[in-house]
Amino acid sequence: MAIHSINHVQLPFPAGEEGAMRAFYAGLLGLPEVGYPAEDALHFAAGPQRIALVPTARWQPAPVASHLAFEVDNLPELRGRLLQAELPLVENRALPGYLRFYVKDPAGNQLEFLEPDTEAGAFA
């Protein structure tokens, strides 16, 4: 037996906030929504992996250290799109060899976006 990849991650959000979650994950991030019959969760594809967002009646924010990290192409373009949407980014956590920032989704789940740094100082 060998574990070779992550199939999916599941994150909670407050029940009734489906529209805001769709607008963020599909609209701002550009992730395609994939449907699963007879489920009330929202499902998005990130390459071959899936993100399941589950409405939760007794939702509580995740601990601050918890996060989902996405490796992306063209991080500056995504950064610009999120800034244009007036989302606060956290950009003060350097990671050698990568450009990265953090943002919270509408439910407060912390997301990290990173891209290998091919030119030092591409943006600060």
Side-chain angles (χ1 to χ4, degrees):
M1 185 208 72
I3 296 173
H4 57 86
S5 69
I6 294 172
N7 179 273
H8 72 278
V9 64
Q10 184 170 297
L11 299 173
F13 69 91
E17 295 296 320
E18 289 80 358
M21 298 302 281
R22 269 194 181 98
F24 182 83
Y25 283 89
L28 280 175
L29 300 185
L31 296 176
E33 187 170 357
V34 291
Y36 286 87
E39 285 199 32
D40 60 351
L42 303 175
H43 296 269
F44 296 91
Q49 290 83 30
R50 300 291 181 257
I51 301 161
L53 301 169
V54 180
T56 307
R58 293 181 162 187
W59 175 85
Q60 294 181 359
V64 71
S66 299
H67 70 277
L68 170 60
F70 293 96
E71 189 164 327
V72 303
D73 292 325
N74 199 352
L75 187 69
E77 188 275 329
L78 175 60
R79 178 180 178 268
R81 193 172 346 140
L82 296 173
L83 286 172
Q84 189 171 31
E86 299 183 356
L87 293 173
L89 306 183
V90 174
E91 300 182 272
N92 61 355
R93 299 180 191 161
L95 179 64
Y98 288 89
L99 300 172
R100 76 172 176 177
F101 62 82
Y102 293 84
V103 69
K104 291 190 178 187
D105 74 9
N109 296 306
Q110 185 162 261
L111 307 177
E112 176 183 2
F113 297 93
L114 65 156
E115 179 175 37
D117 186 1
T118 57
E119 334 173 351
F123 66 82

